[in-house]
Amino acid sequence: MRDFRDAKAMAHSLRDALKARAMEITHSESLELIAKTFGYENWNILSAKIDVAQPRSGEAVGHQDPTPPAVLYCSFCGKTQHEVKALVAGPHVFICDECIDLCSDIIDEQLLRLIEGDEASARAMSTERLSHYVEHARKGEQRNRLALQHIERMLALRRNAAPVDDDILISFGITHLKNKTTDELLVMQRFSQDQLKRYEQALSTAMPVLSERKQ
């Protein structure tokens, strides 16, 4: 499975995936988005981590998997093709619809205004548009609450220091976190907490305005 060391290839795939949604970004912006999806503040921090990381065990630098795996995984979150609605193929990496949505939200200017608590911007939106963002924020809120539950469950299993059976991971729906280190899980936890707060703030800004219009 791919990890942060494949960030540049992932940035290329992300840029293409967003372009298919009519969202044009530069290569530098795509690298910054990749850093954020891995829970790092900016590309410079992630780039430094890549520079000091050792190649995977038994893997030469630049080596590509000779054959595709039977089950495909999102290179960003690690979920399988069976856990998401769609996987978009890129150069040697895949990105799921959920991760594309996440990156779209990070650069969506109208959503950012709601997150910042800009009531005037909320009032300037049409009811249809505002309803769209409310529904979208609710889904994002639910998605991040679930992600936090999964991460916390995996961290709890790690703290027990006992061997974890794959059947347990499957029953908890956390097989995609199996190969994450504790440090990586903690970074993911902080990122999901931050995203949850963003969606909650967007709802806090949009809901009162929408409720007024429905009265």
Side-chain angles (χ1 to χ4, degrees):
M1 190 184 302
R2 301 281 169 171
D3 63 19
F4 67 89
R5 285 165 287 195
D6 300 294
K8 290 186 178 179
M10 294 165 76
H12 183 80
S13 295
L14 174 60
R15 190 178 178 188
D16 287 344
L18 290 175
K19 186 176 181 180
R21 296 190 178 191
M23 301 181 75
E24 295 278 359
I25 60 173
T26 66
H27 180 63
S28 295
E29 288 171 335
S30 66
L31 290 173
E32 292 294 336
L33 282 173
I34 294 299
K36 290 183 184 300
T37 60
F38 278 112
Y40 295 98
E41 186 176 350
N42 55 56
W43 169 249
N44 288 336
I45 295 175
L46 178 56
S47 179
K49 184 176 175 63
I50 293 171
D51 288 341
V52 300
Q54 296 298 316
R56 302 175 186 83
S57 177
E59 179 184 39
V61 176
H63 174 73
Q64 301 297 336
D65 298 332
T67 56
V71 177
L72 302 178
Y73 295 83
C74 174
S75 306
F76 293 68
C77 65
K79 291 182 181 178
T80 72
Q81 65 197 76
H82 307 299
E83 297 175 290
V84 297
K85 292 182 180 178
L87 276 179
V88 177
H92 315 302
V93 299
F94 295 88
I95 178 171
C96 72
D97 59 297
E98 292 181 5
C99 288
I100 296 173
D101 285 343
L102 170 62
C103 293
S104 298
D105 288 352
I106 292 174
I107 60 177
D108 187 320
E109 291 185 1
Q110 287 187 307
L111 179 59
L112 287 174
R113 292 193 185 101
L114 295 177
I115 291 169
E116 292 167 355
D118 188 343
E119 184 180 333
S121 291
R123 293 188 180 282
M125 294 182 195
S126 67
T127 300
E128 181 180 3
R129 191 64 177 167
L130 199 57
S131 297
H132 163 77
Y133 279 120
V134 166
E135 180 64 22
H136 191 73
R138 282 174 175 162
K139 289 180 179 179
E141 188 180 43
Q142 293 170 0
R143 185 171 63 245
N144 281 280
R145 287 189 189 280
L146 182 61
L148 283 169
Q149 290 175 8
H150 287 168
I151 293 167
E152 287 161 5
R153 192 163 285 161
M154 178 60 84
L155 287 170
L157 290 172
R158 293 277 174 83
R159 285 193 291 269
N160 290 336
V164 181
D165 188 270
D166 282 351
D167 290 338
I168 294 177
L169 299 180
I170 293 172
S171 67
F172 287 156
I174 55 176
T175 53
H176 60 287
L177 300 176
K178 178 180 179 180
N179 297 318
K180 300 293 184 181
T181 66
T182 298
D183 286 344
E184 287 173 335
L185 288 170
L186 291 172
V187 169
M188 292 173 65
Q189 183 183 50
R190 289 193 295 271
F191 180 72
S192 291
Q193 289 169 341
D194 178 62
Q195 290 301 303
L196 177 58
K197 289 178 182 177
R198 287 163 56 88
Y199 288 121
E200 288 174 340
Q201 180 58 56
L203 286 171
S204 178
T205 305
M207 282 301 296
V209 177
L210 194 60
S211 296
E212 285 179 13
R213 294 180 182 180
K214 291 182 177 180
Q215 289 178 354

